[in-house]
Amino acid sequence: MINKVTDTIYYIGVNDHDIDLFEGQYIVPEGMAYNSYMIKDEKIAVFDTTDKKMTGQWLANLEEALAGDRPSYLVVQHMEPDHSAAIAAFLEKYPDTTVVSSSKAFKIMEQFFPDFDIPDRMEVQEGSTLDLGSHKLNFVQAPMVHWPEVIMTYESTEKVLFSADAFGKFGALDSDEDWTCEARRYYIGIVGKYGRQVQDLLAKAAKLDIEKICSLHGPVLTENLSYYIDLYDTWSSYRAETEGVCIFYTSVYGNTKEAALLLADMLKEKGVEKVAVSDLARCDWAEAVEDAFRYDRAVFATTTYCGGIFPAMRQFIQHLTERSFRKRKVAFIQNGSWAPVATKIMKSMFERSEELDFAENEVTIRSALNEESIAQIEALAEEMAAGAKADSGRMKCSVCGFVYDPEKEGKPFDKQSDSYKCPICGMGKRVFVEEAAAKAAKQAAEVAAADSDKYICSVCGYVYDEAEAGKPFEEQPDSYRCPMCGLDKSAFKKG
């Protein structure tokens, strides 16, 4: 379909209602949108293509929007195949077009299209610009949001940010559903691991005057942009979005389920307004992951199974830890008829997670509920109803190091207006991080750096291990680049 974003910017994307699983794992009952855009000026720029099966429809949309004109540039912001699969078909039809992308994207392009030559190419990086006439494109590198090659494009005349996959959501554009829920599920599932990189991107975006956001999935965002940006800030800093308790359980014969539901009832009786319960063997796991990141407290209830824990629970915790689950209060319920070890195993799976506050009360069920285990659930409900552990509320500017102390300032940091600026460096509210977390990370980095033989890319997190590489990092030539995000040697820090 074709829609006008502005008088000179066109939406030329497509809706896919035949897809059942996005990326082969996410349930999308409302389909999926593969967005593409075009700017008409003295020179015409097309932004990204589409999924392979939608190529014909997309090319028809493009031809209609061109109305007899020819494109000058194809800007490839992201090489994931749902956005890049039609590059070869596009160039066969418009061979004189210059392809604009990052150096890393061109390498990946060659991998996806090994038999297709792209002679007319323009490599861009952070700060590169492209003049179309009255429109000027400014390129922003966004490595690991959520692939290493990603660039975004800011059009300064009409103040539009073409944001690649950022600010996207599940669902076709002709579906009638709330943005927040499906954007949250999309973000946590697909981008959630890369919170630090998203925070870096938000710091860059804070310096731009943005009036519209054009993502590669979901609607064009045109109003109340601070709402969407603030949600991304919350999600990418791993702060809880909603006060409440989510309970995740697996149950073989119903006894662990009974305990989970009893806990839910007790929490509601004690005044907890938001209680979400998920049967991990039956629910949409991505919805459950979304809840774990949305609420500030979580309870995991499962059985001891084959000397370990029930498979659905093991897989679910892996989903959480690989997405950097942190900053939550966490509790456990275990069931075991003769040798319950579920709590021990679940705790061990979270041992590398940061800033988790484990509940003092734990519940052990021996086959079925009895007076003792019910009393344990009552005690756990009391503790979890009291809320997540409070912190000092001190926030640190990640740019200059200024520390915001709520006691001195007279109000919590989150009560400051969105226009709040750091009094030292002038950066906006979203560059602040919790001081305790920043201090702990710095101390850990200093300890690790003391005797480390590893160098870490400060952009994408790739680890250069000297032992594995068989060569000291310092001996790498100045032309060495990170194999993940493509940045040069200076991006690496010892640690």
Side-chain angles (χ1 to χ4, degrees):
M1 64 183 185
I2 298 175
N3 289 315
K4 278 194 170 185
V5 178
T6 70
D7 287 342
T8 54
I9 300 177
Y10 293 75
Y11 173 87
I12 56 173
V14 294
N15 287 320
D16 182 1
H17 283 289
D18 294 328
I19 186 172
D20 60 339
L21 295 176
F22 182 70
E23 291 193 349
Q25 58 178 330
Y26 297 101
I27 299 170
V28 283
E30 299 297 330
M32 203 68 195
Y34 310 122
N35 297 343
S36 175
Y37 306 91
M38 183 183 75
I39 296 180
K40 270 198 168 183
D41 203 329
E42 295 173 19
K43 295 182 178 180
I44 295 174
V46 177
F47 292 83
D48 300 291
T49 66
T50 191
D51 187 83
K52 183 178 181 179
K53 64 182 176 181
M54 311 302 291
T55 298
Q57 184 180 338
W58 176 74
L59 285 173
N61 289 351
L62 172 60
E63 185 174 9
E64 182 181 345
L66 285 169
D69 291 327
R70 305 281 294 183
S72 300
Y73 302 104
L74 173 64
V75 180
V76 179
Q77 300 182 115
H78 182 25
M79 274 304 300
E80 207 165 1
D82 55 328
H83 308 300
S84 67
I87 290 175
F90 171 90
L91 290 175
E92 286 174 355
K93 189 168 185 177
Y94 305 105
D96 297 330
T97 305
T98 299
V99 179
V100 181
S101 198
S102 67
S103 60
K104 185 68 173 178
F106 280 117
K107 292 178 183 178
I108 298 176
M109 216 175 292
E110 292 166 0
Q111 295 168 186
F112 277 117
F113 305 103
D115 300 321
F116 195 88
D117 186 33
I118 305 175
D120 195 355
R121 60 177 68 188
M122 178 187 297
E123 288 190 8
V124 293
Q125 56 188 352
E126 184 79 24
S128 297
T129 61
L130 178 60
D131 200 332
L132 302 180
S134 61
H135 295 80
K136 187 173 183 180
L137 306 184
N138 304 268
F139 296 100
V140 179
Q141 285 187 307
M144 304 318 298
V145 186
H146 59 114
W147 275 26
E149 86 297 355
V150 173
I151 57 170
M152 297 181 184
T153 311
Y154 176 66
E155 198 292 297
S156 56
T157 302
E158 301 199 69
K159 302 177 181 179
V160 177
L161 177 66
F162 296 91
S163 62
D165 268 351
F167 300 100
K169 65 177 284 293
F170 293 125
L173 292 190
D174 54 4
S175 63
D176 183 18
E177 61 186 2
D178 176 63
W179 181 90
T180 306
C181 181
E182 287 299 79
R184 184 191 301 111
R185 186 165 71 99
Y186 176 91
Y187 174 86
I188 298 300
I190 295 174
V191 191
K193 178 179 180 179
Y194 304 107
R196 179 170 57 80
Q197 288 85 353
V198 174
Q199 285 285 302
D200 291 342
L201 172 64
L202 291 176
K204 294 179 183 180
K207 301 176 183 178
L208 304 174
D209 183 9
I210 302 170
E211 292 186 357
K212 293 179 175 62
I213 298 176
C214 293
S215 172
L216 289 178
H217 296 294
V220 174
L221 305 178
T222 59
E223 297 179 354
N224 195 19
L225 295 186
S226 62
Y227 170 78
Y228 306 104
I229 293 171
D230 287 348
L231 278 176
Y232 254 59
D233 183 35
T234 296
W235 298 338
S236 60
S237 58
Y238 302 99
R239 301 194 309 271
E241 182 184 342
T242 304
E243 291 186 359
V245 180
C246 43
I247 302 171
F248 308 103
Y249 75 87
T250 62
S251 190
V252 180
Y253 296 109
N255 293 300
T256 310
K257 175 182 179 179
E258 185 180 354
L261 296 180
L262 177 60
L263 175 62
D265 289 340
M266 288 180 175
L267 288 168
K268 293 173 185 176
E269 290 172 1
K270 295 179 186 300
V272 179
E273 295 183 3
K274 299 287 186 180
V275 180
V277 181
S278 300
D279 178 353
L280 296 178
R282 294 175 173 82
C283 71
D284 175 358
W285 67 266
E287 291 275 6
V289 167
E290 175 191 348
D291 280 346
F293 280 83
R294 178 179 182 180
Y295 296 105
D296 63 343
R297 285 153 282 172
V299 180
F300 300 87
T302 194
T303 51
T304 299
Y305 191 84
C306 292
I309 59 175
F310 200 76
M313 178 62 77
R314 182 176 64 250
Q315 185 178 43
F316 179 65
I317 294 177
Q318 288 172 343
H319 283 313
L320 297 184
T321 56
E322 68 188 13
R323 289 166 174 81
S324 300
F325 181 68
R326 63 183 72 180
K327 297 184 181 179
R328 300 295 185 273
K329 181 158 189 169
V330 172
F332 303 100
I333 298 173
Q334 66 176 351
N335 194 343
S337 294
W338 59 90
V341 294
T343 291
K344 179 181 178 181
I345 292 172
M346 287 189 287
K347 271 190 173 181
S348 70
M349 292 183 72
F350 283 117
E351 65 183 6
R352 298 186 66 181
S353 297
E354 299 177 7
E355 302 172 83
L356 291 185
D357 175 23
F358 293 120
E360 293 181 6
N361 289 281
E362 297 177 353
V363 178
T364 296
I365 303 163
R366 294 280 185 169
S367 301
L369 288 173
N370 57 22
E371 289 185 4
E372 181 181 0
S373 53
I374 291 173
Q376 291 175 0
I377 292 174
E378 178 78 37
L380 177 58
E382 192 72 35
E383 180 180 357
M384 296 301 282
K389 187 176 181 180
D391 56 36
S392 68
R394 287 160 61 95
M395 303 291 288
K396 184 175 183 179
C397 176
S398 60
V399 176
C400 71
F402 168 76
V403 175
Y404 178 97
D405 188 334
E407 291 187 8
K408 292 180 180 179
E409 303 291 340
K411 66 169 68 173
F413 185 77
D414 61 5
K415 299 299 182 184
Q416 285 286 359
S417 67
D418 292 340
S419 61
Y420 176 83
K421 305 281 187 188
C422 173
I424 303 299
C425 68
M427 294 299 292
K429 192 176 178 182
R430 64 179 58 90
V431 305
F432 280 75
V433 296
E434 291 177 273
E435 188 208 14
K439 183 177 180 181
K442 182 179 179 181
Q443 290 175 339
E446 289 173 349
V447 171
D451 57 355
S452 175
D453 59 354
K454 297 179 180 179
Y455 287 76
I456 302 172
C457 176
S458 60
V459 175
C460 70
Y462 171 79
V463 177
Y464 179 96
D465 189 321
E466 293 182 339
E468 291 181 2
K471 186 177 189 178
F473 183 76
E474 296 297 338
E475 292 183 10
Q476 287 288 357
D478 292 340
S479 60
Y480 176 82
R481 291 188 174 274
C482 173
M484 277 190 70
C485 68
L487 288 186
D488 60 30
K489 194 175 178 182
S490 64
F492 283 78
K493 306 296 181 185
K494 190 174 183 181

